[in-house]
Amino acid sequence: MQPPPTGNPPLTAAFPTELADDARSVLAVMPASRFPPITPFPVLVGGRPVTVPGRLYNDEPPARAVASLSERQRQLLHCLYTRNWDGRIRQRHLEEIVGSADPWVVPFVVQLVGEYVLEILVVIRDALSDLAAPGTAGHLAYGQFIAENPAFFARTQRRVVSYWSCYHRAAHPSFRNHPGHTVLALLRSAASTRTGHPWPDLTPAATRAGAHR
């Protein structure tokens, strides 16, 4: 296994400590990175701190190496590769985990909500449609994560609006018709149910229910 780059937390820190052995097995099959991970971000998962890499520059491992991993280890590998520098790789690995309600998967999905690839937002929107139903595993997991990480989710909301305004406004003149609007509404709904109060809506006022147009 490659040692962690100086100045960056080890990649095992992206997951709760009880998954450290599985994470080390994953890192053992990952090709060495061409560059150190960049811009790690700390969040809480079940009340415990983890540090998720902002971007990774590892090539994907060969299929036979992935096949040697357990189901849980493959899940962790897919989580890590949602942080890959290549958006197509991020999307491919996202599609393998986005249906999971395991709490350590959630920060990887929410981070992608606040990035710029529209196709990835569509994948998340379609996969998280069950968040509209209170009591589902996803509704509970995402609501708990947002309740524990309000500043992180506030930044995510602002990023979605910013990327829409910069890159997607021509195709989606109204933010209400942008996939990010739907995803954020689902996530706020889950957080509102978890906390028992409406979650702050940081999207443009004209897109909110009941707002004057």
Side-chain angles (χ1 to χ4, degrees):
M1 182 179 70
Q2 56 188 330
T6 302
N8 285 285
L11 292 182
T12 54
F15 305 102
T17 54
E18 69 267 22
L19 299 178
D21 287 344
D22 285 322
R24 281 189 284 269
S25 295
V26 170
L27 297 179
V29 305
M30 290 172 58
S33 178
R34 289 167 288 169
F35 306 101
I38 63 168
T39 326
F41 57 92
V43 291
L44 296 176
V45 171
R48 292 168 293 175
V50 301
T51 305
V52 178
R55 281 287 181 265
L56 293 179
Y57 297 90
N58 307 70
D59 290 334
E60 294 175 284
R64 65 181 181 278
V66 176
S68 72
L69 300 174
S70 70
E71 183 177 353
R72 174 56 48 76
Q73 290 163 1
R74 288 194 294 273
Q75 181 194 57
L76 302 190
L77 181 140
H78 293 311
C79 286
L80 288 175
Y81 276 92
T82 67
R83 308 310 315 134
N84 191 268
W85 68 274
D86 186 321
R88 291 166 296 182
I89 292 175
R90 293 199 298 277
Q91 181 174 343
R92 186 162 63 247
H93 288 276
L94 166 70
E95 289 169 348
E96 297 292 333
I97 60 167
V98 69
S100 171
D102 287 326
W104 50 85
V105 171
V106 173
F108 291 89
V109 177
V110 176
Q111 174 66 13
L112 286 170
V113 173
E115 296 184 0
Y116 57 88
V117 180
L118 188 62
E119 293 82 357
I120 286 177
L121 265 177
V122 170
V123 170
I124 296 171
R125 179 199 64 190
D126 294 347
L128 296 190
S129 59
D130 71 336
L131 263 64
T136 61
H139 192 92
L140 295 170
Y142 281 87
Q144 176 67 26
F145 176 76
I146 294 168
E148 288 185 324
N149 298 278
F152 176 77
F153 184 58
R155 185 167 63 249
T156 298
Q157 291 197 74
R158 295 187 182 101
R159 284 177 171 172
V160 173
V161 174
S162 178
Y163 284 127
W164 161 73
S165 182
C166 289
Y167 301 117
H168 306 147
R169 192 188 283 261
H172 300 275
S174 168
F175 183 67
R176 178 175 287 278
N177 298 323
H178 185 261
H181 176 270
T182 303
V183 175
L184 292 179
L186 290 167
L187 295 174
R188 286 193 303 270
S189 173
S192 297
T193 300
R194 174 63 182 81
T195 61
H197 59 76
W199 201 261
D201 184 345
L202 305 182
T203 61
T207 69
R208 300 176 194 167
H212 177 71
R213 291 180 183 78

